[in-house]
Amino acid sequence: MEDNTKVLLSGAMDTLLLHTEDYIFVKDADLKYCAASQAAALAAGLSVPQDMVGRDDFEIFPQAVAQKYYEADMQLLRTGESLACESELLPGRQGKRHWTQIWKYPIRDAEGRICGIYGIGRDVTRLLALQENQMALTEAVANSNVQYFTYFPATHTARLYIVNRMYTALPTHWENYPDSFLQYTKAQPEDVRSYKAMVKEIDDGADEAECVLQLFFDDRPIFLRVHMTAIRNAEGRTVKAQAYSIDITEQRRAEERIRQERLR
């Protein structure tokens, strides 16, 4: 039974190394490759993993690349701590280059001594793209007159995930919403009623709701147009509302100037 298990595990490892898209490798204490995945071999410019076995990085990669890998490996051997290397562009199975993140871990013998290194690299191109998009979105929102937030009817809470630079002091999480928010912004009774009516429409099942009101932020009066859109689950129950507020203070001031001029 034990021999059969070893055969199965060995076969499974061979299959994994052949078919995985990850860049997997194992090095001994002398930093020579003992095993590698097909993807790792292709990334190294070789045809098969066997071409890596028994060789170190300086025999496979350009000097600068090999030196970078060597220094990371020596750090791991010295500290005994796993490490995440910087993302780098590596070719995949189809020859297309991908941003790849490599993690390295120590391999220890029965006495706990480090006897080798196990490494795995994973394509993080999509993750990096998402992070760049998130950064671009954050920058766009921060420099606009729009503030996005999410309202959760079941708990009467609201959360701001990206804060506009005009409202950097604004809390990002609100309990007892909308009462806590309206109190914080010193809304007048008429505006309180208008805002609460909007929220109640969402609570009562409306698809959308909107209001215009005046609030005070840092003792500065601002006019906002607030819009909420219900998000429902499979049963049709509203689980949250995606919302945004637009600062229309300048628009209101312009309208007031026009009104005053017409009265002259």
Side-chain angles (χ1 to χ4, degrees):
M1 181 64 178
E2 184 177 344
D3 290 341
N4 186 50
T5 299
K6 289 182 179 179
V7 171
L8 286 172
L9 291 176
S10 177
M13 180 58 68
D14 290 341
T15 302
L16 171 66
L17 293 177
L18 179 62
H19 295 290
T20 182
E21 297 292 333
D22 291 336
Y23 306 82
I24 297 175
F25 57 87
V26 177
K27 296 178 181 180
D28 61 21
D30 296 322
L31 303 182
K32 293 184 180 293
Y33 287 93
C34 302
S37 65
Q38 180 67 28
L42 293 175
L46 303 173
S47 300
V48 292
Q50 288 74 16
D51 292 339
M52 298 181 70
V53 175
R55 303 167 70 183
D56 62 28
D57 288 318
F58 291 97
E59 299 174 89
I60 299 174
F61 299 100
Q63 176 73 21
V65 175
Q67 184 65 32
K68 179 176 67 174
Y69 292 165
Y70 173 78
E71 290 175 0
D73 291 344
M74 291 303 296
Q75 177 184 335
L76 186 149
L77 293 177
R78 184 175 63 255
T79 65
E81 297 179 356
S82 59
L83 56 90
C85 303
E86 294 182 2
S87 299
E88 58 182 298
L89 278 172
L90 294 176
R93 286 180 176 271
Q94 307 304 320
K96 183 178 179 180
R97 295 169 72 82
H98 303 282
W99 283 105
T100 304
Q101 174 80 60
I102 298 176
W103 293 266
K104 295 183 177 183
Y105 306 89
I107 301 173
R108 300 182 183 274
D109 60 21
E111 283 73 41
R113 296 182 297 244
I114 297 177
C115 58
I117 294 174
Y118 164 75
I120 180 169
R122 185 152 292 165
D123 182 354
V124 293
T125 305
R126 185 179 179 188
L127 175 61
L128 291 177
L130 289 173
Q131 290 175 342
E132 289 180 3
N133 290 340
Q134 178 67 25
M135 290 174 62
L137 176 61
T138 299
E139 186 69 17
V141 171
N143 290 289
S144 72
N145 65 342
V146 181
Q147 177 61 63
Y148 295 92
F149 63 97
T150 304
Y151 167 53
F152 301 93
T155 57
H156 283 282
T157 57
R159 183 174 291 276
L160 286 68
Y161 295 100
I162 303 174
V163 179
N164 187 302
R165 283 180 181 169
M166 294 188 298
Y167 311 124
T168 53
L170 198 66
T172 57
H173 183 76
W174 297 89
E175 299 285 347
N176 192 30
Y177 178 86
D179 292 339
S180 57
F181 173 74
L182 293 169
Q183 181 178 1
Y184 181 91
T185 54
K186 302 175 183 176
Q188 298 302 301
E190 182 179 348
D191 293 315
V192 169
R193 288 192 293 270
S194 177
Y195 198 92
K196 285 188 172 183
M198 174 191 66
V199 174
K200 188 174 187 304
E201 285 185 53
I202 295 296
D203 290 342
D204 291 344
D207 291 329
E208 296 180 280
E210 184 174 289
C211 76
V212 174
L213 74 163
Q214 177 181 260
L215 301 175
F216 290 84
F217 187 73
D218 288 339
D219 294 323
R220 175 174 55 91
I222 57 173
F223 285 93
L224 296 178
R225 174 177 286 110
V226 185
H227 186 92
M228 289 184 158
T229 301
I231 306 298
R232 306 181 189 281
N233 60 15
E235 289 74 38
R237 182 170 59 86
T238 299
V239 293
K240 62 183 177 180
Q242 301 288 26
Y244 63 85
S245 65
I246 302 177
D247 186 340
I248 59 170
T249 305
E250 290 305 317
Q251 176 186 331
R252 278 301 184 94
R253 287 174 179 169
E255 291 172 351
E256 179 61 21
R257 284 195 297 268
I258 293 172
R259 190 183 71 82
Q260 292 293 336
E261 288 188 7
R262 285 176 178 174
L263 293 175
R264 290 176 183 175

